[in-house]
């Protein structure tokens, strides 16, 4: 197994190379690793896993109640939700089953609820029901005035997206996958029975290829001679409110959806914060992850109607993510048998939920292109560090502290992150490639002060990573 961030590329011919180490690409690599005898590479342009769309989303484990009935997305979200829920429980990924309320604020939205209920039932989700304004108010006492009713979707949950991607990548690497970071694919050409990938760090040879490049999936697809879709980055700006706001909301509060997406929501997070967002801005620039004054103002205006008291709380952070929207309503997953190539494009916000099901589907498609697969076997389980507030964190566990006092030595006081957790992250199978990567693994520098107090010490620990562990 190898995590390679710099230097020469391994001089081997891979059986399968997966381009893109986001949540979907990492899930595909993990699934392939369940089949013994394959030499697999997971190639990523950035310096860490989960650096693109996967790190900046609304972190919802969806039921798929509002997917297009009969679509590939609907099936894979439904299957993926079941698979990921079980995987999260086994791996220690925090999940909170808070449920969702799709709130109607005017007559047209109220009239749309029966159709959304029927859509949920066509998608195989039969636990949803329409509730009256009095029940909406009882369930969410801080909701703004004027709610006319809601669709209750009890199966919706919130999850940690950072730990999910990291768990997949960790399991894949431990099973022998080569994780090649800082490795942007620039050219792809046939070379006999292999693909020859020219990357920013050298050449990768591979027999089969999976394109899970997210925002750049259309670019990679065109390198292989296809023009089936175009990714138009859809920016979603979000506000993260302080933990003192957490008691204001009990469910994921969803609006009636529009063609651009689910709209602006208010949702708790597993980290104890409250999210407001996202916007839905169609852009041309696939690097435009900056926030704007207009975007923040629009979110505050909509949030003020949904949960007026939220605007009185402190904003801890502002961030923006780009979703890989295409001109199609469904995922763009297809196999090109003659090239031994599978495209995984147009994976929007539901990709986190569907990730394990997408991985299984892609593996079946690869088998159809001629990839010989031995029978799958279960990989040794991983146990990820807990980042969720609903579960015991290390600083609260007397047993851990008694065995190792580093778990009682708090470095980041806003998020209660200990020296032991930082040490473990730096010594992990897939260690962070930056301070932001360390934050996603521990929450250090992610709290109210955004690293103002702990930043220097966290940086020093990060830079001393080689002394603290094998990472």
């Amino acid at each position: 197994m190898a995590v390679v961030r710099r230097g020469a590329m391994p001089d081997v011919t891979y059986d399968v190379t997966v381009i893109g180490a986001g949540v979907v690409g990492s899930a595909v690599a993990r699934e392939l690793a369940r089949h013994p005898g394959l030499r697999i590479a997971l190639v990523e342009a950035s310096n860490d896993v989960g650096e693109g769309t996967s790190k900046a989303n609304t972190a919802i484990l969806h039921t798929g109640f509002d997917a297009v009935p009969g679509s590939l997305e609907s099936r894979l979200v439904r299957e993926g939700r079941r698979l990921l829920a079980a995987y999260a429980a086994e791996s220690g990924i925090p999940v909170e089953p808070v449920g969702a309320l799709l709130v109607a604020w005017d007559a047209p939205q109220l009239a749309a609820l029966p159709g959304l209920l029927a859509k949920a039932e066509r998608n195989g989700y039969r636990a949803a029901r329409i509730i009256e304004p009095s029940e909406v108010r009882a369930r969410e006492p801080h909701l703004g005035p004027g709610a006319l009713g809601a669709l209750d979707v009890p199966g919706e949950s919130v999850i940690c997206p950072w730990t999910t991607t990291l768990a997949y990548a960790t399991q894949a690497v431990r099973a022998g996958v080569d994780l090649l970071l800082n490795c942007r694919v620039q050219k792809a050409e046939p070379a006999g029975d292999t693909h020859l990938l020219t990357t920013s760090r050298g050449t990768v040879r591979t027999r089969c290829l999976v394109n899970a490049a997210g925002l750049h999936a259309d670019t990679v697809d065109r390198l292989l001679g296809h023009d089936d879709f175009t990714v138009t980055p859809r920016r979603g700006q979000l506000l993260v409110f302080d933990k003192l706001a957490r008691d204001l909301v009990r469910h994921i509060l969803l609006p009636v959806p529009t063609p651009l997406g689910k709209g602006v929501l208010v949702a708790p997070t597993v980290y104890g914060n409250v999210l407001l967002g996202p916007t839905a801005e169609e852009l041309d620039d696939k690097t435009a992850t900056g926030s704007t004054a207009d975007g923040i103002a629009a979110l505050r205006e909509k949030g003020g109607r949904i949960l007026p008291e939220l605007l009185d709380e402190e904003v801890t952070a502002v961030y923006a993510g780009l979703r890989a929207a295409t001109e199609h309503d469904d995922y763009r997953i297809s196999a090109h048998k003659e090239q031994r190539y599978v495209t995984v494009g147009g994976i929007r916000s539901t990709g986190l939920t569907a990730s394990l099901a997408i991985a299984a589907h892609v593996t079946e498609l690869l088998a159809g292109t001629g990839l010989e697969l031995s029978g799958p076997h279960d990989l040794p389980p991983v146990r990820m560090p807990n980042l969720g507030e609903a579960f015991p964190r290390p600083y609260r566990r007397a047993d851990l502290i008694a065995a190792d006092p580093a778990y009682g030595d708090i470095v980041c006081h806003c998020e209660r992150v200990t020296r032991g957790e930082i040490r473990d992250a730096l010594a992990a199978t897939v260690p962070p490639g930056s301070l932001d990567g360390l934050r996603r693994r521990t929450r250090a520098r992610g709290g109210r002060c955004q690293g103002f107090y702990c930043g220097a010490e966290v940086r020093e620990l990060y830079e001393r990573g080689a002394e603290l562990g094998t990472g």
Side-chain angles (χ1 to χ4, degrees):
M1 65 181 183
V3 178
V4 185
R5 282 195 165 92
R6 60 187 66 85
M9 304 293 283
D11 185 18
V12 300
T13 298
Y14 292 101
D15 294 299
V16 188
T17 294
V18 181
I19 301 174
V23 71
V24 171
S26 296
V28 171
R30 173 196 170 275
E31 179 65 25
L32 288 168
R34 296 179 61 227
H35 298 267
L38 294 179
R39 189 71 190 264
I40 303 159
L42 178 58
V43 172
E44 168 57 43
S46 302
N47 69 354
D48 205 350
V49 300
E51 274 285 342
T53 299
S54 300
K55 74 178 181 184
N57 55 49
T58 49
I60 295 174
L61 183 56
H62 294 281
T63 59
F65 77 95
D66 58 348
V68 176
S71 65
L72 180 63
E73 180 181 16
S74 174
R75 175 171 73 82
L76 295 180
V77 169
R78 187 167 61 249
E79 295 173 4
R81 172 186 172 234
R82 174 181 56 81
L83 293 170
L84 182 50
Y87 182 82
E90 175 188 86
S91 305
I93 298 168
V95 174
E96 288 188 52
V98 293
L101 296 178
L102 195 91
V103 181
W105 297 97
D106 56 35
Q109 291 178 8
L110 184 64
L113 294 186
L116 288 166
L117 177 61
K119 189 177 189 181
E121 291 171 347
R122 290 200 303 276
N123 280 315
Y125 186 76
R126 295 179 174 80
R129 64 189 181 95
I130 296 173
I131 60 176
E132 297 295 322
S134 57
E135 185 175 348
V136 176
R137 176 65 52 189
R139 302 256 303 264
E140 286 289 353
H142 299 282
L143 201 67
L148 302 179
L151 183 68
D152 177 24
V153 189
E156 298 276 301
S157 303
V158 291
I159 187 172
C160 176
W162 306 330
T163 311
T164 304
T165 305
L166 184 60
Y168 295 161
T170 297
Q171 238 178 346
V173 170
R174 289 181 182 176
V177 172
D178 287 342
L179 174 57
L180 309 179
L181 300 167
N182 296 312
C183 188
R184 182 177 297 278
V185 174
Q186 300 166 330
K187 186 178 180 181
E189 54 190 338
D193 64 348
T194 65
H195 297 279
L196 203 61
L197 305 180
T198 302
T199 80
S200 54
R201 285 184 41 216
T203 300
V204 175
R205 295 189 308 276
T206 186
R207 294 185 179 88
C208 298
L209 189 61
V210 176
N211 168 15
L215 290 166
H216 302 281
D218 56 343
T219 302
V220 173
D221 211 39
R222 290 183 176 96
L223 293 178
L224 275 293
H226 305 285
D227 190 14
D228 298 333
F229 62 93
T230 297
V231 173
T232 301
R234 183 175 293 160
R235 181 167 62 190
Q237 301 183 51
L238 297 107
L239 303 182
V240 183
F241 286 85
D242 188 75
K243 291 176 174 56
L244 294 175
R246 180 62 180 82
D247 289 339
L248 294 177
V249 60
R250 300 173 182 175
H251 305 76
I252 303 164
L253 301 178
L254 299 169
V256 175
T258 71
L260 282 179
K262 298 180 186 298
V264 173
L265 57 83
V266 175
T269 75
V270 295
Y271 319 115
N273 302 95
V274 175
L275 280 183
L276 171 62
T279 58
E281 308 160 53
E282 302 282 0
L283 305 174
D284 296 321
D285 185 356
K286 294 182 179 181
T287 65
T289 56
S291 299
T292 66
D294 288 345
I296 293 170
L299 290 178
R300 290 184 65 86
E301 179 183 356
K302 292 182 179 180
R305 180 176 189 184
I306 300 167
L307 210 66
E309 294 171 66
L310 186 62
L311 300 189
D312 296 329
E313 301 295 333
E314 295 289 335
V315 173
T316 295
V318 178
Y319 70 92
L322 298 175
R323 287 158 279 176
T326 73
E327 66 272 38
H328 304 282
D329 290 333
D330 204 355
Y331 293 164
R332 310 306 297 168
I333 303 177
S334 57
H336 304 277
K337 183 175 181 179
E338 70 286 354
Q339 292 178 299
R340 303 172 310 284
Y341 166 61
V342 175
T343 302
V344 188
I347 310 299
R348 299 179 296 273
S349 60
T350 55
L352 170 61
T353 301
S355 53
L356 290 175
I358 292 173
H361 181 58
V362 168
T363 301
E364 290 177 4
L365 292 177
L366 281 171
T369 70
L371 178 66
E372 294 185 9
L373 297 173
S374 60
H377 71 287
D378 291 334
L379 299 177
V382 292
R383 193 70 187 175
M384 304 306 293
N386 169 50
L387 302 186
E389 284 298 305
F391 311 89
R393 297 275 307 287
Y395 77 93
R396 298 172 59 189
R397 291 186 54 185
D399 59 330
L400 279 183
I401 297 168
D404 186 344
Y407 293 116
D409 183 2
I410 294 177
V411 175
C412 171
H413 287 266
C414 293
E415 295 297 300
R416 305 292 194 271
V417 181
T418 67
R419 188 175 300 269
E421 292 170 274
I422 293 173
R423 176 203 60 205
D424 292 349
L426 295 171
T429 302
V430 184
S434 66
L435 283 168
D436 283 343
L438 181 60
R439 176 176 54 82
R440 291 194 296 275
R441 286 161 171 82
T442 64
R443 290 173 40 182
R445 298 169 53 254
R448 178 182 290 189
C449 82
Q450 290 290 289
F452 182 83
Y453 290 101
C454 69
E457 186 173 4
V458 172
R459 177 180 290 277
E460 180 185 2
L461 291 171
Y462 173 74
E463 292 174 351
R464 287 174 45 213
E467 302 172 28
L468 295 172
T470 58

